[in-house]
Amino acid sequence: MLDVNSGAVHIIDEMIFDILDIFDGENDVKVIATLSKKYAPADIVEALSELHELINNGELFAPDIDVPPTFKSFGVVKSLCLMIAQDCNLRCKYCFGDEGTYGHRAIMSEETGRAAVDFIIKSSGLRRHCEIDFFGGEPLLNFKTVKAVTEYVREREKATGKIFKLTLTTNGMLLDDKKIAWLNKNNISLVLRSS
């Protein structure tokens, strides 16, 4: 038998199995009255004594444990990959993303990007460090939204105490000195990929 909260594993016999169908840790009299026709009362009392000893040692009916955030029933979100542009300037035939469109050309709105930031802040729990990757297709096709979301992230960092690592995955073809300077100024790491 496993006591889930303590992690203790107990080998039990048929009598203990029957006792545990009734026993709640405080109803010894009921257990003895119910099982005294099947087992000798002295054996039941001895078994109950052993069960109480396990309870006192925290190895049976252990109290609920404080579950770490990683294992809670709701997920803790630590990173998001934002599909900033479902389009690509290269549109390679062999691209895993169907020429960067993923089957449908679209760009993410600034509002959706800001909502994604709010989502990760709400869903990251006590976690302080979060990550967002601007992805596509080619995210530089929608640089306006990249800039708006980055600005919003920096505002929300100040308000929440969260720390965001931002990356931008690009084929590099649309980079120019102005964009590179802006990315550096805003501490955005580039992930260069070849299609």
Side-chain angles (χ1 to χ4, degrees):
M1 174 192 70
L2 171 67
D3 183 69
V4 176
N5 291 337
S6 69
V9 177
H10 307 286
I11 297 172
I12 61 172
D13 60 18
E14 184 180 345
M15 181 175 67
I16 298 293
F17 184 84
D18 290 342
I19 290 172
L20 288 174
D21 269 347
I22 305 163
F23 185 59
D24 65 9
E26 299 176 354
N27 61 345
D28 294 31
V29 173
K30 180 179 180 183
V31 171
I32 295 166
T34 305
L35 296 176
S36 61
K37 290 181 181 169
K38 186 172 182 181
Y39 303 105
D43 291 342
I44 298 171
V45 169
E46 182 181 346
L48 287 169
S49 173
E50 291 172 5
L51 291 175
H52 282 289
E53 186 177 331
L54 290 174
I55 291 170
N56 292 336
N57 292 337
E59 297 173 340
L60 181 65
F61 302 151
D64 285 340
I65 55 174
D66 186 24
V67 179
T70 308
F71 301 109
K72 291 205 183 255
S73 58
F74 57 89
V76 174
V77 179
K78 72 172 193 118
S79 63
L80 288 180
C81 181
L82 299 186
M83 193 69 70
I84 294 294
Q86 286 181 216
D87 200 355
C88 184
N89 55 315
L90 296 180
R91 297 185 183 164
C92 302
K93 294 289 183 202
Y94 55 82
C95 177
F96 71 91
D98 194 20
E99 299 177 21
T101 68
Y102 298 87
H104 173 76
R105 280 186 168 69
I107 60 169
M108 180 180 285
S109 70
E110 295 175 26
E111 293 76 22
T112 299
R114 284 190 283 267
V117 173
D118 290 337
F119 170 79
I120 192 171
I121 288 170
K122 179 181 177 188
S123 302
S124 60
L126 299 176
R127 183 180 193 86
R128 191 154 178 238
H129 294 269
C130 301
E131 300 172 19
I132 293 179
D133 182 37
F134 299 112
F135 198 75
E138 176 51 57
L140 292 177
L141 287 173
N142 190 10
F143 197 50
K144 179 181 166 200
T145 296
V146 170
K147 289 168 95 172
V149 172
T150 300
E151 182 180 312
Y152 189 62
V153 162
R154 300 307 181 214
E155 290 172 12
R156 299 295 290 140
E157 280 178 321
K158 291 174 188 168
T160 64
K162 301 281 187 188
I163 299 170
F164 278 85
K165 177 182 179 187
L166 301 180
T167 58
L168 185 137
T169 301
T170 178
N171 59 36
M173 300 302 292
L174 298 176
L175 286 172
D176 56 33
D177 290 342
K178 189 175 178 181
K179 286 186 181 92
I180 291 170
W182 185 89
L183 292 164
N184 284 334
K185 180 182 175 189
N186 288 279
N187 200 26
I188 298 176
S189 301
L190 288 184
V191 178
L192 295 175
R193 64 165 162 64
S194 60
S195 296

